[in-house]
Amino acid sequence: MKFRAAIAAVAAAVAMTPAVASAQDTYAEVGGWSIFKNPDNCRAIGSFDGDTHLAVGFYPADDKVIMVVIDPDFTMTSNQELKYNMYFAQGDNLNDDWGEITAYGLQMDGGKHAFRVSLDGNDFLNDFGDNELLGFFVGSDLLISLRLENSAEIESKLRQCAATI
């Protein structure tokens, strides 16, 4: 899937979450990620190998992040409650302080599946910017791991964008 089509797919998935604006203005491009400014949030969208996509939407007024992960291997159903252990990693250092989180399945047009999760905004952005991997486990089984290249710059641009809302 081409990157612009991926942005449309992620935007459609995020539109299924509450209080998301439909219009997006491009704010910045960072290392293959697009950052969009909306009236109430700033959203970074990146693509990974294998048609996997990650969207990180920062809502500064609520200090909240809504994250959507799309992967062709996912099989969850819409609104299915999911329990994952989330971790970040930097080199040999594993940060598993997030522990178990609750996510919700999304089934999108075209048969793609995703999950969304709502997290504390500032804490998430700090960990996102300080680490090179983000991963999710189901018990001891790895669901997905994503390399966060340029994450410090993406975090910085999200915060700069949010300061203009």
Side-chain angles (χ1 to χ4, degrees):
M1 176 186 295
K2 300 226 184 273
F3 187 66
R4 293 292 165 204
I7 290 172
V10 173
V14 172
M16 296 177 195
T17 62
V20 175
S22 60
Q24 294 188 342
D25 293 325
T26 302
Y27 180 81
E29 299 284 335
V30 177
W33 287 63
S34 294
I35 299 173
F36 299 95
K37 181 179 176 184
N38 297 301
D40 65 347
N41 70 80
C42 291
R43 182 167 320 282
I45 300 175
S47 294
F48 298 83
D49 291 339
D51 206 17
T52 298
H53 308 283
L54 174 65
V56 176
F58 178 45
Y59 295 76
D62 300 325
D63 187 29
K64 174 177 70 173
V65 161
I66 294 180
M67 180 173 47
V68 175
V69 181
I70 301 171
D71 188 275
D73 294 333
F74 290 165
T75 59
M76 64 276 296
T77 59
S78 287
N79 297 318
Q80 177 183 358
E81 186 173 298
L82 307 158
K83 299 290 185 180
Y84 298 136
N85 289 311
M86 186 171 86
Y87 75 90
F88 286 93
Q90 177 67 27
D92 292 336
N93 298 321
L94 180 67
N95 173 351
D96 59 0
D97 293 344
W98 286 90
E100 186 176 79
I101 61 166
T102 301
Y104 296 92
L106 296 171
Q107 189 167 358
M108 302 169 0
D109 292 341
K112 297 228 181 269
H113 298 268
F115 68 84
R116 68 176 164 79
V117 61
S118 180
L119 303 161
D120 179 84
N122 191 52
D123 288 346
F124 177 85
L125 289 178
N126 285 338
D127 283 345
F128 181 85
D130 289 344
N131 289 283
E132 60 189 22
L133 287 172
L134 167 64
F136 298 89
F137 279 89
V138 178
S140 61
D141 296 328
L142 179 65
L143 174 68
I144 192 165
S145 181
L146 303 170
R147 180 167 283 297
L148 301 176
E149 295 176 4
N150 303 305
S151 63
E153 190 175 354
I154 295 164
E155 174 206 0
S156 176
K157 289 293 183 190
L158 277 171
R159 290 184 188 278
Q160 288 172 17
C161 176
T164 67
I165 294 177

